[in-house]
Amino acid sequence: DAKTTQPNSMESNEEEPVHLPCNHSTISGTDYIHWYRQLPSQGPEYVIHGLTSNVNNRMASLAIAEDRKSSTLILHRATLRDAAVYYCILRSRGGYQKVTFGIGTKLQVIP
Amino acid sequence: SQTIHQWPATLVQPVGSPLSLECTVEGTSNPNLYWYRQAAGRGLQLLFYSVGIGQISSEVPQNLSASRPQDRQFILSSKKLLLSDSGFYLCACSRQYNEQFFGPGTRLTVL
């Protein structure tokens, strides 16, 4: 599986935008970029995914580099409820969809 | 949309005792099913995945086993628990290359 690299932790002030980076230099042409987040004592929840174009949904935006070797999850206005561990993962389109979660980025939101 | 049920929510077991964790899925058919374990402060470790009834693949050799007796039922078992089996066990499902949905998890403490 192609791997991803994320910073271990980040801080943000409440109500400010947050940009969470992810490097995936070995991404293949069939890999989708997925983001999940995990609140304390809960299972991860899906946030957003994309292939080549930038994506927006009600939770966040996903900016994908032109060479697809990196991506950035954007939270437009961080709230205290956004404090979580954010995982960037790659999922291949073909065959069985095994997913490997790394350690992720622990986001701390400061009031 | 799919819903994943896991039970029990918490479990405290002595070393050497057996284990059975159950996961059931509603709202989808023929899903891919997964068991993950998360040790304290660590990322998610994929333990088993299943693409159909009776089809189980193991990712990590260990004293755990998994079974899928029905399309939407996934069971994680052990004959003899070890201290290192303590952790947060998560069941997840997905359809093809779409996002994964996670259950609420079972927190297992082996004493």
Side-chain angles (χ1 to χ4, degrees), chain A residues 36 38 46 91 96-97, chain B residues 34 38 49 96 98 100:
Chain A
Y36 290 76
Q38 186 177 20
Y46 167 81
R91 298 197 66 185
Y96 160 67
Q97 303 306 316
Chain B
Y34 312 78
Q38 187 173 36
Y49 65 89
Q96 298 181 336
N98 293 324
Q100 285 192 333

Side-chain angles (χ1 to χ4, degrees), chain A:
Chain A
D1 297 329
K3 294 185 177 179
T4 63
T5 305
Q6 299 175 254
N8 288 337
S9 62
M10 290 185 64
E11 284 184 359
S12 173
N13 293 321
E14 194 176 9
E15 298 189 2
E16 289 188 357
V18 183
H19 290 233
L20 299 165
C22 180
N23 289 321
H24 28 78
S25 58
T26 59
I27 191 171
S28 73
T30 58
D31 285 336
Y32 285 75
I33 302 159
H34 285 240
W35 283 82
Y36 290 76
R37 72 178 186 181
Q38 186 177 20
L39 301 172
S41 298
Q42 295 186 27
E45 64 173 336
Y46 167 81
V47 177
I48 199 168
H49 79 280
L51 184 61
T52 56
S53 303
N54 294 343
V55 184
N56 299 296
N57 66 21
R58 63 174 180 83
M59 291 181 70
S61 296
L62 176 61
I64 301 173
E66 196 169 334
D67 62 5
R68 299 206 331 122
K69 293 185 177 182
S70 66
S71 61
T72 302
L73 179 71
I74 302 167
L75 307 179
H76 297 286
R77 282 180 71 247
T79 69
L80 296 178
R81 290 173 295 181
D82 292 322
V85 177
Y86 288 78
Y87 298 98
C88 166
I89 61 173
L90 302 179
R91 298 197 66 185
S92 174
R93 182 166 187 161
Y96 160 67
Q97 303 306 316
K98 188 178 78 169
V99 173
T100 301
F101 284 75
I103 296 176
T105 297
K106 185 173 184 178
L107 174 66
Q108 183 179 1
V109 180
I110 302 169

